[in-house]
Coordinates of all heavy atoms in Angstrom, one line a residue:
G581 N 5.4 -20.0 -7.6 CA 6.7 -19.5 -7.3 C 7.4 -20.2 -6.2 O 6.9 -21.1 -5.5
A582 N 8.6 -19.9 -6.1 CA 9.5 -20.5 -5.0 C 8.9 -20.3 -3.7 O 8.5 -19.2 -3.3 CB 10.9 -20.0 -5.2
Y583 N 9.0 -21.3 -2.8 CA 8.6 -21.2 -1.4 C 7.1 -21.0 -1.1 O 6.8 -20.8 0.1 CB 9.4 -20.1 -0.7 CG 10.9 -20.3 -0.8 CD1 11.6 -19.4 -1.7 CD2 11.6 -21.4 -0.2 CE1 13.0 -19.6 -1.8 CE2 13.0 -21.5 -0.4 CZ 13.7 -20.7 -1.2 OH 15.0 -20.8 -1.4
Q584 N 6.3 -21.0 -2.1 CA 4.9 -20.8 -1.8 C 4.3 -21.9 -0.9 O 3.5 -21.6 -0.1 CB 4.1 -20.7 -3.1 CG 4.3 -19.4 -3.9 CD 3.5 -19.3 -5.1 OE1 2.4 -19.8 -5.1 NE2 4.0 -18.6 -6.1
H585 N 4.7 -23.1 -1.2 CA 4.2 -24.2 -0.4 C 4.6 -24.1 1.1 O 3.8 -24.3 2.0 CB 4.7 -25.6 -1.0 CG 4.2 -26.8 -0.2 ND1 2.9 -27.1 -0.2 CD2 4.8 -27.6 0.7 CE1 2.7 -28.2 0.6 NE2 3.9 -28.5 1.1
E586 N 5.8 -23.7 1.3 CA 6.3 -23.5 2.7 C 5.6 -22.5 3.5 O 5.4 -22.6 4.7 CB 7.8 -23.2 2.7 CG 8.7 -24.4 2.3 CD 8.8 -24.6 0.8 OE1 8.2 -23.9 0.0 OE2 9.5 -25.5 0.4
V587 N 5.1 -21.4 2.8 CA 4.4 -20.3 3.6 C 2.9 -20.5 3.5 O 2.2 -19.7 4.1 CB 4.8 -18.9 3.1 CG1 6.2 -18.6 3.3 CG2 4.5 -18.8 1.6
G588 N 2.4 -21.5 2.8 CA 1.0 -21.9 2.9 C 0.0 -21.1 2.0 O -1.1 -21.0 2.3
F589 N 0.5 -20.6 0.9 CA -0.4 -20.0 -0.1 C 0.1 -20.2 -1.5 O 1.3 -20.5 -1.7 CB -0.6 -18.5 0.2 CG 0.6 -17.6 -0.2 CD1 0.6 -17.0 -1.4 CD2 1.6 -17.4 0.7 CE1 1.7 -16.2 -1.7 CE2 2.6 -16.6 0.4 CZ 2.7 -16.0 -0.8
H590 N -0.8 -20.0 -2.4 CA -0.4 -20.1 -3.9 C -0.6 -18.8 -4.5 O -1.7 -18.2 -4.4 CB -1.2 -21.2 -4.5 CG -0.9 -21.3 -6.0 ND1 0.2 -21.8 -6.5 CD2 -1.7 -21.0 -7.1 CE1 0.2 -21.7 -7.8 NE2 -1.0 -21.2 -8.2
C591 N 0.3 -18.3 -5.2 CA 0.2 -17.0 -5.9 C 0.0 -17.3 -7.4 O 0.9 -17.8 -8.1 CB 1.5 -16.2 -5.7 SG 1.5 -14.6 -6.5
S592 N -1.2 -17.1 -7.9 CA -1.5 -17.4 -9.3 C -1.3 -16.1 -10.2 O -1.1 -16.3 -11.4 CB -2.9 -17.9 -9.4 OG -3.8 -17.0 -8.9
T593 N -1.4 -14.9 -9.6 CA -1.2 -13.7 -10.4 C -0.5 -12.7 -9.5 O -0.4 -12.8 -8.3 CB -2.6 -13.1 -10.8 OG1 -3.3 -12.8 -9.6 CG2 -3.4 -14.0 -11.7
R594 N 0.1 -11.7 -10.2 CA 0.7 -10.6 -9.5 C 0.3 -9.3 -10.1 O -0.1 -9.2 -11.3 CB 2.3 -10.7 -9.7 CG 2.9 -11.8 -9.0 CD 4.4 -11.9 -9.1 NE 5.0 -10.7 -9.7 CZ 6.3 -10.6 -9.9 NH1 7.1 -11.6 -9.6 NH2 6.8 -9.6 -10.5
T595 N 0.2 -8.3 -9.3 CA -0.1 -6.9 -9.8 C 1.2 -6.3 -10.3 O 2.3 -6.5 -9.8 CB -0.6 -6.1 -8.6 OG1 -1.8 -6.8 -8.1 CG2 -1.1 -4.7 -9.1
S596 N 1.0 -5.5 -11.3 CA 2.2 -4.7 -11.8 C 2.7 -3.8 -10.7 O 2.0 -3.5 -9.8 CB 1.7 -3.8 -13.0 OG 1.2 -4.6 -14.1
V597 N 3.9 -3.4 -10.9 CA 4.6 -2.5 -9.9 C 4.0 -1.2 -10.0 O 3.7 -0.7 -11.1 CB 6.1 -2.5 -10.2 CG1 6.8 -1.4 -9.3 CG2 6.7 -3.8 -9.9
V598 N 3.7 -0.5 -8.9 CA 3.2 0.8 -8.8 C 4.3 1.7 -8.1 O 4.7 1.3 -7.0 CB 1.9 0.9 -8.1 CG1 1.4 2.4 -8.0 CG2 0.8 0.1 -8.8
V599 N 4.7 2.8 -8.7 CA 5.6 3.7 -8.0 C 4.9 4.9 -7.6 O 4.3 5.6 -8.5 CB 6.9 4.0 -8.9 CG1 7.8 5.0 -8.2 CG2 7.6 2.7 -9.3
H600 N 5.0 5.3 -6.4 CA 4.4 6.5 -5.9 C 5.4 7.4 -5.3 O 6.2 7.0 -4.5 CB 3.4 6.2 -4.8 CG 2.8 7.4 -4.1 ND1 1.9 8.3 -4.7 CD2 3.1 7.9 -2.8 CE1 1.7 9.2 -3.8 NE2 2.4 9.0 -2.7
E601 N 5.5 8.7 -5.9 CA 6.4 9.6 -5.4 C 5.8 10.4 -4.2 O 4.8 11.2 -4.4 CB 6.9 10.6 -6.5 CG 7.9 11.6 -6.0 CD 8.4 12.5 -7.2 OE1 7.9 12.3 -8.3 OE2 9.2 13.3 -6.9
A602 N 6.3 10.2 -3.0 CA 5.8 10.9 -1.9 C 6.4 12.3 -1.8 O 7.4 12.6 -2.3 CB 6.2 10.1 -0.6
M603 N 5.6 13.2 -1.1 CA 6.1 14.6 -0.9 C 5.4 15.1 0.3 O 4.6 14.4 0.9 CB 5.7 15.4 -2.2 CG 4.2 15.4 -2.5 SD 3.8 16.2 -4.0 CE 4.2 14.9 -5.2
E604 N 5.8 16.3 0.7 CA 5.1 16.9 1.8 C 3.6 17.0 1.6 O 3.2 17.4 0.5 CB 5.7 18.3 2.1 CG 7.1 18.2 2.6 CD 7.3 17.6 4.0 OE1 6.4 17.8 4.8 OE2 8.2 16.9 4.2
P605 N 2.8 16.7 2.5 CA 1.4 16.8 2.3 C 0.9 18.2 2.1 O 1.5 19.1 2.8 CB 0.7 16.2 3.6 CG 1.8 16.1 4.6 CD 3.1 16.2 3.9
S606 N 0.0 18.4 1.2 CA -0.5 19.8 1.0 C -1.6 20.0 1.9 O -2.2 19.1 2.5 CB -1.0 19.9 -0.5 OG -2.1 19.1 -0.7
I607 N -2.0 21.2 2.1 CA -3.1 21.6 3.0 C -4.4 21.1 2.4 O -5.3 20.6 3.1 CB -3.1 23.1 3.2 CG1 -1.8 23.5 4.0 CG2 -4.4 23.5 4.0 CD1 -1.7 25.0 4.2
E608 N -4.5 21.2 1.1 CA -5.8 20.8 0.4 C -5.6 19.3 0.0 O -4.7 19.0 -0.7 CB -6.0 21.6 -0.8 CG -6.3 23.1 -0.5 CD -6.5 23.9 -1.8 OE1 -7.0 23.3 -2.8 OE2 -6.2 25.1 -1.7
E609 N -6.5 18.5 0.4 CA -6.5 17.1 0.0 C -7.8 16.9 -0.8 O -8.9 17.2 -0.5 CB -6.6 16.2 1.3 CG -5.4 16.2 2.1 CD -5.4 15.2 3.2 OE1 -6.3 14.3 3.2 OE2 -4.6 15.3 4.1
A610 N -7.5 16.2 -2.0 CA -8.6 16.0 -2.9 C -9.2 14.6 -2.6 O -8.5 13.7 -2.3 CB -8.1 16.0 -4.4
D611 N -10.6 14.5 -2.7 CA -11.2 13.3 -2.5 C -11.0 12.4 -3.8 O -10.9 12.9 -4.9 CB -12.7 13.5 -2.3 CG -13.0 14.1 -0.9 OD1 -12.2 13.9 0.0 OD2 -14.1 14.8 -0.8
L612 N -11.0 11.1 -3.5 CA -10.9 10.2 -4.6 C -12.2 10.1 -5.4 O -13.3 10.0 -4.8 CB -10.6 8.8 -4.0 CG -10.1 7.7 -4.9 CD1 -8.8 8.0 -5.5 CD2 -10.0 6.4 -4.2
T613 N -12.2 10.3 -6.7 CA -13.4 10.2 -7.5 C -13.8 8.8 -7.7 O -13.1 7.8 -7.5 CB -13.1 10.8 -8.9 OG1 -12.2 10.0 -9.6 CG2 -12.6 12.3 -8.8
D614 N -15.1 8.6 -8.1 CA -15.6 7.2 -8.3 C -14.8 6.5 -9.4 O -14.5 5.3 -9.3 CB -17.1 7.3 -8.7 CG -18.0 7.6 -7.6 OD1 -17.5 7.5 -6.4 OD2 -19.1 8.0 -7.8
T615 N -14.4 7.3 -10.5 CA -13.6 6.7 -11.5 C -12.3 6.2 -11.0 O -11.8 5.1 -11.4 CB -13.4 7.7 -12.7 OG1 -14.7 8.1 -13.2 CG2 -12.6 7.1 -13.8
Q616 N -11.6 7.0 -10.2 CA -10.3 6.7 -9.7 C -10.4 5.5 -8.7 O -9.6 4.5 -8.8 CB -9.7 7.8 -8.9 CG -9.2 9.0 -9.8 CD -8.9 10.2 -9.0 OE1 -9.5 10.5 -8.0 NE2 -7.9 10.9 -9.5
A617 N -11.5 5.4 -7.9 CA -11.7 4.3 -7.0 C -11.9 3.0 -7.8 O -11.4 2.0 -7.4 CB -12.9 4.6 -6.1
N618 N -12.7 3.1 -8.9 CA -12.9 1.9 -9.7 C -11.7 1.4 -10.3 O -11.6 0.1 -10.5 CB -14.0 2.2 -10.7 CG -15.4 2.3 -10.2 OD1 -15.7 1.6 -9.2 ND2 -16.2 3.0 -10.8
E619 N -10.7 2.2 -10.6 CA -9.4 1.7 -11.2 C -8.6 0.9 -10.1 O -7.9 0.0 -10.5 CB -8.6 2.9 -11.6 CG -9.2 3.6 -12.9 CD -8.4 4.8 -13.3 OE1 -7.3 5.1 -12.7 OE2 -8.9 5.6 -14.1
W620 N -8.7 1.3 -8.9 CA -7.9 0.6 -7.8 C -8.7 -0.5 -7.2 O -8.1 -1.4 -6.5 CB -7.6 1.6 -6.7 CG -6.5 2.5 -7.2 CD1 -6.6 3.8 -7.6 CD2 -5.1 2.2 -7.3 NE1 -5.3 4.3 -7.9 CE2 -4.4 3.3 -7.7 CE3 -4.3 1.1 -7.0 CZ2 -3.0 3.4 -8.0 CZ3 -3.0 1.1 -7.2 CH2 -2.3 2.2 -7.7
Y621 N -10.0 -0.6 -7.3 CA -10.8 -1.6 -6.7 C -10.3 -3.0 -6.9 O -10.2 -3.8 -5.9 CB -12.3 -1.4 -7.1 CG -13.2 -2.4 -6.5 CD1 -13.6 -2.3 -5.2 CD2 -13.8 -3.5 -7.2 CE1 -14.5 -3.2 -4.6 CE2 -14.6 -4.4 -6.6 CZ -15.0 -4.2 -5.3 OH -15.8 -5.1 -4.7
P622 N -10.1 -3.5 -8.2 CA -9.6 -4.8 -8.3 C -8.3 -5.1 -7.7 O -8.0 -6.3 -7.2 CB -9.5 -5.0 -9.9 CG -10.1 -3.8 -10.5 CD -10.2 -2.8 -9.4
V623 N -7.4 -4.2 -7.6 CA -6.1 -4.4 -7.0 C -6.3 -4.7 -5.5 O -5.7 -5.7 -5.0 CB -5.2 -3.1 -7.1 CG1 -3.9 -3.3 -6.3 CG2 -4.9 -2.9 -8.6
F624 N -7.1 -3.9 -4.8 CA -7.2 -4.1 -3.3 C -8.2 -5.2 -3.0 O -8.1 -5.8 -1.9 CB -7.6 -2.8 -2.6 CG -6.5 -1.8 -2.6 CD1 -6.5 -0.7 -3.5 CD2 -5.4 -2.0 -1.8 CE1 -5.5 0.2 -3.5 CE2 -4.4 -1.1 -1.8 CZ -4.4 0.0 -2.6
L625 N -9.1 -5.6 -3.9 CA -10.1 -6.6 -3.6 C -9.5 -8.0 -3.6 O -9.8 -8.8 -2.7 CB -11.2 -6.6 -4.7 CG -12.2 -7.7 -4.7 CD1 -13.1 -7.5 -3.4 CD2 -13.1 -7.7 -5.9
A626 N -8.6 -8.3 -4.5 CA -8.0 -9.6 -4.6 C -6.7 -9.8 -3.9 O -6.2 -11.0 -3.8 CB -7.8 -10.0 -6.1
R627 N -6.1 -8.8 -3.3 CA -4.8 -9.0 -2.7 C -4.8 -9.4 -1.3 O -5.5 -9.0 -0.5 CB -4.0 -7.6 -2.8 CG -3.8 -7.1 -4.2 CD -3.3 -8.2 -5.2 NE -3.4 -7.8 -6.6 CZ -4.1 -8.4 -7.5 NH1 -4.7 -9.5 -7.2 NH2 -4.1 -8.0 -8.7
K628 N -3.9 -10.4 -1.0 CA -3.8 -10.9 0.3 C -2.5 -10.4 1.0 O -2.5 -10.2 2.2 CB -3.7 -12.5 0.3 CG -4.9 -13.1 -0.4 CD -6.2 -12.9 0.3 CE -7.3 -13.6 -0.3 NZ -8.5 -12.9 -0.5
I629 N -1.5 -10.2 0.2 CA -0.2 -9.7 0.7 C 0.2 -8.5 -0.2 O 0.1 -8.5 -1.4 CB 0.9 -10.7 0.6 CG1 0.5 -11.9 1.4 CG2 2.2 -10.1 0.9 CD1 1.5 -13.1 1.3
M630 N 0.5 -7.4 0.5 CA 1.0 -6.2 -0.2 C 2.3 -5.8 0.5 O 2.5 -5.8 1.7 CB 0.0 -5.0 -0.1 CG 0.5 -3.8 -0.8 SD -0.7 -2.5 -0.7 CE -1.9 -3.1 -1.9
I631 N 3.3 -5.5 -0.3 CA 4.7 -5.2 0.1 C 5.0 -3.8 -0.4 O 4.9 -3.5 -1.6 CB 5.7 -6.2 -0.3 CG1 5.4 -7.6 0.2 CG2 7.1 -5.7 0.2 CD1 6.3 -8.6 -0.4
L632 N 5.4 -2.9 0.5 CA 5.8 -1.5 0.2 C 7.3 -1.5 0.4 O 7.8 -1.9 1.5 CB 5.1 -0.5 1.1 CG 3.5 -0.5 1.0 CD1 3.0 0.4 2.1 CD2 3.1 -0.1 -0.4
V633 N 8.0 -0.9 -0.5 CA 9.4 -0.7 -0.4 C 9.8 0.8 -0.5 O 9.4 1.4 -1.5 CB 10.2 -1.5 -1.4 CG1 11.7 -1.3 -1.3 CG2 9.9 -3.0 -1.3
S634 N 10.4 1.3 0.5 CA 10.8 2.7 0.5 C 12.1 2.8 -0.3 O 13.1 2.3 0.0 CB 11.0 3.2 1.9 OG 11.5 4.5 1.9
L635 N 12.0 3.6 -1.4 CA 13.1 3.8 -2.3 C 14.0 5.0 -1.9 O 15.1 5.1 -2.4 CB 12.6 4.0 -3.7 CG 11.8 2.9 -4.3 CD1 11.3 3.2 -5.7 CD2 12.6 1.6 -4.4
G636 N 13.5 5.8 -1.0 CA 14.3 7.0 -0.6 C 14.2 8.2 -1.5 O 13.2 8.2 -2.2
P637 N 15.0 9.2 -1.4 CA 16.3 9.2 -0.8 C 16.2 9.5 0.7 O 17.1 9.4 1.4 CB 17.0 10.3 -1.5 CG 16.0 11.2 -1.9 CD 14.7 10.4 -2.2
D638 N 15.0 10.0 1.2 CA 14.9 10.5 2.6 C 14.1 9.5 3.4 O 13.3 8.7 2.8 CB 14.3 11.9 2.6 CG 15.1 12.9 1.9 OD1 16.4 12.8 2.1 OD2 14.6 13.8 1.3
R639 N 14.1 9.7 4.7 CA 13.2 9.0 5.6 C 11.8 9.6 5.5 O 11.7 10.7 5.0 CB 13.7 9.1 7.0 CG 14.9 8.3 7.4 CD 15.1 8.3 8.8 NE 16.4 8.8 9.1 CZ 16.8 9.2 10.3 NH1 16.0 9.2 11.3 NH2 18.1 9.6 10.4
G640 N 10.8 8.9 5.9 CA 9.5 9.4 5.9 C 8.6 8.7 6.9 O 9.1 7.7 7.6
T641 N 7.4 9.0 7.0 CA 6.4 8.4 7.9 C 5.3 7.8 7.0 O 4.7 8.5 6.2 CB 5.8 9.3 8.9 OG1 6.9 9.9 9.6 CG2 4.9 8.6 9.8
L642 N 5.1 6.5 7.2 CA 4.0 5.8 6.5 C 2.8 5.8 7.5 O 3.0 5.3 8.6 CB 4.4 4.4 6.1 CG 3.3 3.5 5.6 CD1 2.8 4.0 4.2 CD2 3.9 2.1 5.4
E643 N 1.7 6.3 7.1 CA 0.6 6.3 8.1 C -0.4 5.2 7.7 O -0.9 5.1 6.5 CB -0.2 7.7 8.0 CG -1.3 7.7 9.0 CD -2.0 9.1 9.0 OE1 -2.0 9.8 8.0 OE2 -2.6 9.4 10.1
L644 N -0.6 4.3 8.6 CA -1.5 3.1 8.4 C -2.8 3.5 9.0 O -2.9 3.7 10.2 CB -0.9 1.9 9.0 CG 0.5 1.5 8.5 CD1 1.0 0.3 9.3 CD2 0.5 1.2 7.0
V645 N -3.9 3.5 8.2 CA -5.2 3.9 8.7 C -6.2 2.8 8.6 O -6.5 2.4 7.5 CB -5.8 5.2 8.0 CG1 -7.1 5.6 8.5 CG2 -4.8 6.3 8.0
P646 N -6.6 2.2 9.7 CA -7.5 1.0 9.6 C -8.9 1.5 9.1 O -9.3 2.6 9.2 CB -7.6 0.6 11.1 CG -6.7 1.4 11.9 CD -6.2 2.5 11.1
F647 N -9.6 0.5 8.6 CA -11.0 0.8 8.1 C -12.0 0.9 9.2 O -13.0 1.5 9.1 CB -11.5 -0.3 7.1 CG -10.7 -0.4 5.8 CD1 -9.9 -1.4 5.5 CD2 -10.8 0.7 4.9 CE1 -9.2 -1.5 4.3 CE2 -10.2 0.7 3.7 CZ -9.4 -0.4 3.4
D648 N -11.6 0.3 10.4 CA -12.5 0.4 11.6 C -12.4 1.8 12.1 O -11.4 2.3 12.5 CB -12.0 -0.6 12.6 CG -12.8 -0.6 13.9 OD1 -13.7 0.2 14.0 OD2 -12.5 -1.5 14.7
E649 N -13.6 2.5 12.2 CA -13.7 3.8 12.7 C -13.2 4.0 14.1 O -12.8 5.1 14.5 CB -15.1 4.4 12.5 CG -15.5 4.5 11.1 CD -16.9 5.0 10.9 OE1 -17.6 5.3 11.9 OE2 -17.4 5.0 9.8
D650 N -13.3 2.9 14.9 CA -12.9 3.0 16.3 C -11.4 2.8 16.5 O -10.9 3.1 17.6 CB -13.7 2.0 17.2 CG -15.2 2.3 17.1 OD1 -15.6 3.4 17.0 OD2 -15.9 1.3 17.2
A651 N -10.7 2.4 15.5 CA -9.3 2.1 15.7 C -8.5 3.4 15.3 O -8.9 4.2 14.6 CB -8.8 1.0 14.7
N652 N -7.3 3.5 15.9 CA -6.5 4.7 15.7 C -5.4 4.4 14.6 O -4.9 3.3 14.5 CB -5.7 5.0 17.0 CG -6.6 5.5 18.1 OD1 -7.6 6.1 17.8 ND2 -6.3 5.0 19.3
P653 N -5.1 5.5 13.8 CA -4.1 5.3 12.8 C -2.7 5.1 13.5 O -2.5 5.4 14.6 CB -4.1 6.7 12.0 CG -5.3 7.4 12.5 CD -5.8 6.8 13.8
M654 N -1.8 4.6 12.7 CA -0.4 4.3 13.3 C 0.6 4.8 12.3 O 0.5 4.6 11.1 CB -0.3 2.8 13.4 CG 1.1 2.4 13.9 SD 1.1 0.6 14.0 CE 2.8 0.3 13.5
G655 N 1.6 5.6 12.8 CA 2.6 6.1 12.0 C 3.9 5.2 12.1 O 4.2 4.8 13.2
L656 N 4.5 4.9 11.0 CA 5.7 4.0 11.0 C 6.8 4.7 10.3 O 6.6 5.1 9.1 CB 5.3 2.7 10.2 CG 6.4 1.7 10.1 CD1 6.7 1.1 11.5 CD2 5.9 0.5 9.3
L657 N 7.9 4.9 10.9 CA 9.1 5.6 10.3 C 9.7 4.6 9.3 O 10.0 3.5 9.6 CB 10.1 5.9 11.4 CG 11.4 6.6 10.9 CD1 11.1 8.0 10.2 CD2 12.4 6.8 12.0
V658 N 9.9 5.1 8.1 CA 10.5 4.2 7.0 C 11.7 4.9 6.5 O 11.8 6.1 6.4 CB 9.5 3.9 5.9 CG1 8.4 3.0 6.3 CG2 8.9 5.2 5.3
E659 N 12.7 4.1 6.2 CA 14.0 4.6 5.7 C 14.2 3.9 4.3 O 13.7 2.9 4.0 CB 15.1 4.2 6.6 CG 15.0 4.9 8.0 CD 16.1 4.5 8.9 OE1 17.0 3.8 8.6 OE2 16.1 5.0 10.1
P660 N 15.1 4.5 3.5 CA 15.4 3.9 2.2 C 15.8 2.5 2.3 O 16.6 2.1 3.1 CB 16.5 4.8 1.7 CG 16.4 6.1 2.4 CD 15.8 5.8 3.7
G661 N 15.2 1.6 1.4 CA 15.5 0.2 1.4 C 14.7 -0.6 2.3 O 14.7 -1.8 2.3
M662 N 13.9 0.0 3.2 CA 13.0 -0.7 4.1 C 11.8 -1.2 3.4 O 11.2 -0.6 2.6 CB 12.6 0.2 5.3 CG 11.9 -0.4 6.4 SD 11.6 0.9 7.7 CE 10.8 -0.1 8.9
A663 N 11.4 -2.5 3.7 CA 10.2 -3.1 3.2 C 9.2 -3.3 4.3 O 9.5 -3.7 5.4 CB 10.5 -4.5 2.6
V664 N 8.0 -2.9 4.0 CA 6.9 -3.1 5.0 C 5.8 -4.0 4.4 O 5.4 -3.8 3.3 CB 6.2 -1.7 5.3 CG1 5.1 -1.8 6.2 CG2 7.3 -0.7 5.8

């Protein structure tokens, strides 16, 4: 693709677009099943860059949770049209 050489990487494949409709968190959170985790495994295994775009219509908070148990999560305010 365009500008790949300038940024120092080559993109040979792309993941299909995934749209997630956010909503107020419920009190009950369901654990991810093994089957569901296996569906997402290849997506997160091979990806070096991931871009999230907030479509709106409202502002919200994106919570980034590191895999390191000693690190603290970080909340990021996102607005419609913002890319992270």
Side-chain angles (χ1 to χ4, degrees):
Y583 305 109
Q584 289 184 32
H585 179 71
E586 286 83 357
V587 295
F589 74 93
H590 175 71
C591 180
S592 59
T593 61
R594 288 182 11 182
T595 303
S596 299
V597 172
V598 177
V599 176
H600 171 72
E601 183 179 358
M603 60 188 78
E604 290 295 322
S606 65
I607 294 174
E608 296 179 27
E609 292 185 11
D611 289 334
L612 195 63
T613 66
D614 288 342
T615 302
Q616 291 169 323
N618 284 333
E619 290 174 9
W620 286 102
Y621 181 73
V623 173
F624 290 104
L625 177 67
R627 302 309 169 241
K628 305 294 183 225
I629 297 176
M630 181 178 288
I631 300 170
L632 302 171
V633 178
S634 175
L635 300 177
D638 297 323
R639 286 190 237 166
T641 302
L642 174 64
E643 185 177 24
L644 305 173
V645 182
F647 291 115
D648 182 355
E649 294 177 4
D650 296 329
N652 295 321
M654 178 180 142
L656 181 64
L657 179 64
V658 292
E659 297 182 359
M662 185 175 183
V664 178

